[in-house]
Amino acid sequence: MTNLTTKQVGAWLQSIGFELYVTKFSDKQIDGTALLALSDDAIVQLLSLSSEDEKQNKAAIKKFKKRLEQLKADHKEDSSRHRKEQRNPATLTSSTMVTSSIHEDLVTEKSINPTYTKILTISHDSNRVSIHFFNDPLFCVKLQQYLYKTYGITCSIESEQKKIILTLVGTKHQVKNGCGDIIILFESTQTKIYNSESVDRKAIYWSKHIFSDATISVIQQIMNNEKLFTVWEKSEMFSGFYKVVYFTHESFAASEESITQILNREIAFVEYIKMPNEKTKTFLDEIEQFIITAKQPELAVIRCKYPFKMEINVSLFGRKKLVKTVKKQIELLVKKHTVKSFGIKMTPAQHIYLVDNYLQRFKDIENDYKNDNVKIRIRQKEFYAPQYLIETIKQHINELICHTTTCIIQTMENSISLTDDEKTQLIEIAKRYYCSIERIESNTEVQICSIPIALTKTSSTSTAMIQQSKAFCSSLSVKKISVLNSSIEVYTADHSMPLLEDVIVVSTDAGAIQERIECVHKNGFYGTSFGRKVILCHWQHLTRTNCKTGTELKRLVTKFISIIAKSITADCPDAEKIAFLTHEWENFGNETQFAEEFIFELKRVLEKTKPRWRLLFMFNHKQNQLCEAFFQAMIRLQSDEDGFAQFSCPLSSTHPLLSPSYSQKQRERGCLRISVNSNKRSAHAVVIPQLRRRNFRRHKQTSC
């Protein structure tokens, strides 16, 4: 220290904030030795300016003496260390523990020639506010840049268990000057409490009406983004006044005026956005989800919920631009879910029809939308619903007014056609119940009918009758088992009615020839020139007469059925009737074992995949034994739903399409009018079909 020149003493004065006295010290030729030897009177004489600045002079003298005492302590430590190094040349480094002026935090310094390292530790317990400054990354970068530019030293900043560790590296003189400047920086902080009724009205209003600490982080973030280094708190938790700590150091200064200006210009508070009078569960769920997604660093969405009540209040605090945008979004959400009353204009016939037939249906609609508080008062010709459900509820009511239904008339015949007299009779029956027949459709298909079995024997049932029943059942040409939504059906050669399958499964060359598919084709899906869909899967093992072992047979059956099921799902997803061609299957040796394995594997696949398939098997006269084996395998798997036996028959169906007698006329005019009841004013929404232009002018005044 005694080797300092007058110029170096001037640099030291600048580092501790005494730039005004550099010239005076230089004129007095005060070097390092003279500086350490200054008396109190000499200090007063050097730092005195004028009698008008007496108060300022006293503060400067006190601060200078404090810095000088620290400099003397450093000089004493250096001298002591130097003497120890002379006595013990092997010692290259030394450590000294001192207490810095940063709120009595511990400072450790290490000297390794030619660089010098000093570590400052700022603890949370004694410097809580100072630590908060380091939460702002911009402040950390600014501090590092300032130290490097001013003193040529590097500074690393680490956060560790409620303390900040600053490591300064450079020449010894520069590091010590930088360390002193950091101490001065944190001693230059000022505190402002916004509690003045005359100038802080806006901040005081926030303090009294916002009971959430979320606003502190929002203000802090806005100030950080405005590049003002501040720390914000409340004088008391929740309801206290806002308090800010800021620097007055010239390189980090943030004036009270600039801080207040940002508070007034950039921050807005919207208290209690208007909510719907009737809050639905759907609205509460949506507003909660919106609040979660709307969170931003510069915006606080403050909500207040009440236990056991469907009530919620929402306030916004943050940057004005964000508050304005989010407020508009919440208002749109509120408008969407505001429940209003809507009048229904209908004819007397429509009103009577709805009241007589659909009261329960209206209750079902209300139950479907119970989370939206939908209420349909059809007797009063009105309903209550949120804005976004108006068209949906209106459509439901229109569908009931213009409702159509289909009657099914079935007969066990190959085909059915109605005569003109029969059609006239149907029309008259429909008119009797205020309906009209729009069209009549007919179709015929083969269906399987079950024959039940008696669970107990009675005295009136003779043995001969039982034998006749068994003989009849054994003569039937079909056997069926149900598997969930699917079925497996086996037909004998005596079955003469066409099955009209959707897909045909071919497994042998004979089957391929029948379907006119060349045998050289690979396995896969094919469409024939006749419009038939065919799945080809060669199964050469079936042509062998030797019997396979049980394990190998099961493997072959499982593989074959798996390939077929995947092909149907991929190539024919809409297929329901799948017919298996059984050509040459009778050549398989163990027919009983084959039938059992095949039916069991089919049942397992249907239970696993749950399709809607009818799997059809047709056997010819040469395959009677194989057909019987399939029959017996299916009997063992039949359920009560399948009955004792089944028979197939053609079932012809006639489908008259019925609608209310006025519905066609109403559709020509427009089904329903919905009016919105609000403040004694009505806005009518009228369903108007495409009309000629001259007719449209006639309706224009009543529509919107």
Side-chain angles (χ1 to χ4, degrees), residues 13 30-31 66 78 207 255 310 393 498 539 541 556 620 688:
L13 290 171
I30 296 177
D31 57 8
K66 188 175 182 179
D78 290 343
S207 302
S255 66
M310 294 185 69
I393 303 302
W539 199 3
H541 299 283
L556 294 174
N620 56 38
I688 300 178

Side-chain angles (χ1 to χ4, degrees), residues 118-221:
K118 193 165 188 176
I119 300 175
L120 280 75
T121 302
I122 307 175
S123 67
H124 181 273
D125 296 334
S126 57
N127 298 280
R128 181 177 57 83
V129 175
S130 299
I131 282 184
H132 288 327
F133 280 104
F134 290 93
N135 293 334
D136 181 8
L138 291 177
F139 171 75
C140 296
V141 173
K142 172 74 174 178
L143 179 62
Q144 290 171 326
Q145 292 175 345
Y146 170 76
L147 292 174
Y148 183 79
K149 184 177 179 180
T150 307
Y151 301 103
I153 61 177
T154 60
C155 174
S156 63
I157 303 172
E158 298 179 8
S159 177
E160 180 181 318
Q161 295 181 350
K162 295 185 178 181
K163 61 183 179 181
I164 300 296
I165 300 174
L166 305 179
T167 304
L168 308 179
V169 179
T171 64
K172 183 176 181 180
H173 175 66
Q174 292 170 328
V175 168
K176 288 198 172 186
N177 289 341
C179 179
D181 204 0
I182 292 174
I183 295 172
I184 293 172
L185 171 65
F186 285 99
E187 287 182 348
S188 72
T189 57
Q190 294 289 333
T191 301
K192 157 72 176 175
I193 299 177
Y194 288 86
N195 58 357
S196 174
E197 293 287 349
S198 58
V199 295
D200 302 327
R201 292 181 181 178
K202 192 173 184 179
I204 291 175
Y205 183 85
W206 297 344
S207 302
K208 292 181 178 180
H209 292 81
I210 304 177
F211 302 100
S212 170
D213 284 345
T215 56
I216 294 295
S217 60
V218 170
I219 297 175
Q220 186 72 64
Q221 186 64 42

Side-chain angles (χ1 to χ4, degrees), residues 657-672:
L657 185 62
L658 299 177
S659 62
S661 58
Y662 54 82
S663 62
Q664 184 65 28
K665 187 176 181 180
Q666 285 298 125
R667 276 194 291 272
E668 292 174 356
R669 291 182 176 179
C671 289
L672 195 64

